[in-house]
Amino acid sequence: MLQVNAHRSGRHFLQIPGPTNVPDRVLRAIDHPTIDHRGPEFGVLGHQILEGMKKVFKTDSHVVIYPASGTGAWEAALVNTLSEGDLVLMAETGHFATLWKDMAEKLSLRVEFLPGDWRRPADPAAVEARLKNDTQHEIKAVCIVHNETATGVASNIKAVRDAIDRAGHPALYMVDTISSLASIDYRHDEWGVDVTVSGSQKGLMLPPGLSFNAVSAKALAAGEKNNLHRSYWDWQAMIDINGTGYFPYTPATNLLYGLHEALDMLFAEGLDEVFARHKRFAEATRRAVRAWGLEILCADPESYSDSLTAVMMPEGHGADAFRKIVLEHFNLSLGSGLTKLKDRVFRIGHLGDLNDLTLCATLSGIEMGLSLAKVPHQQGGVRAALDYLTETSTVMSRPLEEKTAW
Ligand code: PLP
């Protein structure tokens, strides 16, 4: 194990918005001998996790699993469906939407980027207006990041679907759920999404290294006649063999053990309960931030993210110096500001495997850190969060017989 510094007692608090804390159960599941990925046991595992992931995406369609970070699944979504020079409509919600746009351009797609100020969600009215204008149906795909991990702003995926429908436009609809899946309600089929992109290291509580595409029949059909080159990312090669529980090349076997365990945990808690837990932690966090007298980056309360909160630093105070103090004094990692927001915000991850006391400890570390870093603020943020958590507290576990079926 890499020892960066002297021994620090207790557990590290990894409260960045992903990778998130990997639960002990998942770590133990990963810590098993790697099996033959073409042997009889593997097929059972492969089949179960592919079925389990369909439940998480809420789809009856195909789910493809790559041994790759989320960026790989972004690329897979584009190269399996689009052709050179195709026009794609994207919304500038923040750093990750911008990276996806840059990738699309590198892949020789043309991108129209609906401008945004990184404090608000994708605007369904702007999507509708642009699509209505596109009478020749030049736009082949609309790509939206559900939850902007850089800003803590969640876009309304159903509202954008409705906007596409009102415009009567045939574009494919692609959604990045890398920091929302298994934390914030998401419905691939019901919301008419064609390709959903996701990753293992956030709501799924796994280490980085797996990524996913949920794929509609319309997206698969688009892949039969598009001309972007692909080989490793080809959905069809995966889907052809996935039906038997196997993969066309060597899968990340031990991460798949972990995924099986994580799915078991999510279904035991219940997906709706998981979403409610994240919503409650997000509200407690915002109450703390407001009580400190600090500003939440998300400027639209309807769009607050349930998985993270980005907090603006007061003028003249750098977020990175503050985060350094929090790490060195309390062994607590907070997320940094990315690109445009560098040093201007810190991000509190409240997603994945955490409970009331994990959140309270995180907020306590922040409140103490604000004092140590001499950041102007009021005391009482932790108190405000404690009050809310107490008022809304319920018995944590539910009877096992209520567990969601696999
Ligand atoms: N999209 C979003 C919303 C993300 O949060 C991230 C990473 O944090 C990515 C895409 C890129 O994924 P990765 O870093 O796993 O390649």
Side-chain angles (χ1 to χ4, degrees), residues 17-18 69-72 74 96 145 147-149 176 178-179 201-202:
S69 82
T71 303
W74 265 349
F96 289 102
V145 175
N147 186 73
E148 243 304 344
T149 323
D176 170 338
I178 287 179
S179 60
Q201 71 272 29
K202 309 214 186 222

Side-chain angles (χ1 to χ4, degrees), residues 93-396:
T93 47
H95 173 76
F96 289 102
T98 307
L99 288 182
W100 202 10
K101 178 207 71 138
D102 292 347
M103 169 188 275
E105 287 172 346
K106 283 182 204 154
L107 291 169
S108 74
L109 301 167
R110 288 178 299 136
V111 181
E112 242 181 75
F113 209 27
L114 294 170
D117 65 358
W118 293 34
R119 298 193 69 181
R120 270 159 266 266
D123 177 6
V127 172
E128 183 177 344
R130 181 60 191 95
L131 292 181
K132 276 187 172 154
N133 245 336
D134 181 36
T135 49
Q136 299 303 308
H137 295 166
E138 229 190 312
I139 295 170
K140 300 299 179 209
V142 175
C143 300
I144 304 290
V145 175
H146 183 196
N147 186 73
E148 243 304 344
T149 323
T151 62
V153 180
S155 288
N156 187 330
I157 297 307
K158 176 167 188 314
V160 174
R161 172 76 259 170
D162 292 344
I164 300 171
D165 290 345
R166 275 195 302 275
H169 200 287
L172 293 166
Y173 187 22
M174 305 197 195
V175 177
D176 170 338
T177 63
I178 287 179
S179 60
S180 56
L181 193 77
S183 302
I184 303 175
D185 190 16
Y186 184 75
R187 306 167 188 205
H188 177 90
D189 285 0
E190 192 182 318
W191 295 345
V193 179
D194 293 299
V195 189
T196 302
V197 174
S198 206
S200 56
Q201 71 272 29
K202 309 214 186 222
L204 290 174
M205 307 177 286
L206 293 166
L210 293 179
S211 59
F212 308 86
N213 280 169
V215 179
S216 74
K218 181 174 160 186
L220 262 186
E224 286 169 14
K225 43 188 189 307
N226 79 313
N227 74 10
L228 283 187
H229 292 298
R230 61 181 181 273
S231 168
Y232 181 75
W233 302 116
D234 189 39
W235 287 335
Q236 203 54 58
M238 280 282 212
I239 289 169
D240 285 347
I241 184 166
N242 274 174
T244 59
Y246 293 90
F247 288 73
Y249 42 72
T250 314
T253 308
N254 292 54
L255 284 178
L256 297 180
Y257 298 158
L259 178 57
H260 190 280
E261 196 69 13
L263 288 169
D264 208 41
M265 291 171 71
L266 289 170
F267 296 147
E269 186 175 353
L271 286 177
D272 288 343
E273 286 75 6
V274 170
F275 303 146
R277 175 164 58 82
H278 283 78
K279 201 173 264 310
R280 185 166 161 266
F281 290 164
E283 176 60 27
T285 303
R286 291 190 296 267
R287 287 184 184 215
V289 175
R290 287 193 202 103
W292 289 322
L294 299 179
E295 194 176 345
I296 296 166
L297 177 67
C298 177
D300 173 21
E302 293 281 293
S303 308
Y304 284 144
S305 164
D306 289 342
S307 58
L308 76 131
T309 302
V311 183
M312 294 170 77
M313 292 299 282
E315 267 314 302
H317 294 267
D320 291 344
F322 161 70
R323 288 189 316 107
K324 184 167 184 282
I325 286 177
V326 168
L327 176 63
E328 288 176 353
H329 286 254
F330 307 114
N331 202 11
L332 162 63
S333 286
L334 298 169
S336 60
L338 298 170
T339 46
K340 250 165 75 164
L341 297 170
K342 185 168 169 40
D343 211 28
R344 294 182 48 208
V345 303
F346 65 91
R347 295 174 297 147
I348 309 168
H350 34 76
L351 74 164
D353 184 46
L354 76 161
N355 60 25
D356 290 36
L357 297 187
T358 327
L359 183 69
C360 292
T362 301
L363 298 173
S364 300
I366 295 171
E367 188 159 322
M368 291 188 284
L370 289 169
S371 296
L372 289 172
K374 303 200 173 8
V375 176
H377 70 287
Q378 287 131 39
Q379 295 290 303
V382 172
R383 181 72 260 164
L386 292 182
D387 288 345
Y388 176 73
L389 290 173
T390 310
E391 278 160 31
T392 56
S393 178
T394 50
V395 175
M396 281 176 70

